[in-house]
Amino acid sequence: MRIQHDRRKYISHVLPYPPIAPPSIVARFPEPRPGEDVVAVSRVTSPALVLEAYKLGIFPWPVRQGLVPWASPDPRAIFPLRHDKPWPRTVRRAVALDFRVSFDEAFEPVMRACAHRPGEGTWITADILSTYLELHHLGWAHSVEVWRGEELAGGLYGIAMGGLFAGESMFHRASGASKVAFAACADRLRERGFSLFDVQVLTPHLELLGCIEIPRAEYRARVIEAIQRSARFP
């Protein structure tokens, strides 16, 4: 299955490739301990700290502004890029709808839409938003947008590092739009030579899309291999 991609006319900037390294940091993460999913806690994030975390299979998961646990869940959820199985029927139905797909053309609106969850709370704090916006402009963070006409109907965003794509969050405003975003992202990762699609924690929705769990140790070994690859998302 291949999705019709749309290059829209209002691209405002070209992302650098290869990505630009942010100023280095001196902080280091401890090794994850058996039975513990949180390896560290900080008050703030930064682009360099986020990238250092991803190299170790760790990601930020704030509970509120000013309190940032750094997580390395065991088991870890991934989407298996090497197993090119047919998409579930619900995904194929969504792809057949009247949607258009683009990449890296509305990163901030996608992030803000992912953060807007009335009554549910969100881990996408002001600190996370500013950090990932900077990572986007440096060429590390990317988005997939799904459009219905001129309206943003769904999307997702994440971090690309070598052959690793770490999905962060997705949203939908129209039924099926997040499924289309996920399928378009997976197709692009396969086409561009990525080897690892991280989705952090398995949910019923992600399981429906074909995601699986693997042991943390195996995931971290895959990260080491993946970030050595040369793969380009944008």
Side-chain angles (χ1 to χ4, degrees), residues 20 62 69 83 85 115 123 134 152 156 160 201 203:
I20 300 169
H83 301 150
K85 296 180 180 179
W123 65 271
E134 186 172 350
L152 187 61
L156 62 79
V201 178
T203 65

Side-chain angles (χ1 to χ4, degrees), residues 149-205:
E150 296 299 314
E151 299 299 319
L152 187 61
L156 62 79
Y157 74 96
I159 297 285
M161 181 181 294
L164 163 70
F165 186 84
E168 288 284 347
S169 187
M170 60 183 174
F171 81 98
H172 71 276
R173 292 170 178 159
S175 179
S178 64
K179 296 183 180 71
V180 172
F182 190 92
C185 185
D187 280 349
R188 169 154 289 213
L189 297 180
R190 287 184 174 123
E191 291 165 359
R192 299 295 177 94
F194 283 76
S195 62
L196 185 57
F197 187 178
D198 169 37
V199 298
Q200 299 181 346
V201 178
L202 193 64
T203 65
H205 180 62

Side-chain angles (χ1 to χ4, degrees), residues 54-131:
Y54 279 113
K55 292 177 184 177
L56 301 172
I58 300 168
F59 62 89
W61 203 346
V63 294
R64 58 176 170 80
Q65 181 72 11
L67 181 59
V68 186
W70 295 82
S72 181
D74 191 8
R76 188 66 167 255
I78 66 166
F79 179 80
L81 292 172
R82 295 176 183 175
H83 301 150
D84 196 6
K85 296 180 180 179
W87 287 104
R89 182 178 299 177
T90 56
V91 176
R92 298 198 302 269
R93 287 176 177 171
V95 170
L97 298 174
D98 187 23
F99 290 121
R100 295 180 292 176
V101 176
S102 62
F103 300 94
D104 284 328
E105 294 181 6
F107 183 86
E108 184 172 353
V110 166
M111 269 204 79
R112 291 189 179 278
C114 288
H116 183 66
R117 301 177 184 274
E120 297 182 27
T122 179
W123 65 271
I124 304 175
T125 61
D127 186 28
I128 288 290
L129 180 62
S130 63
T131 296

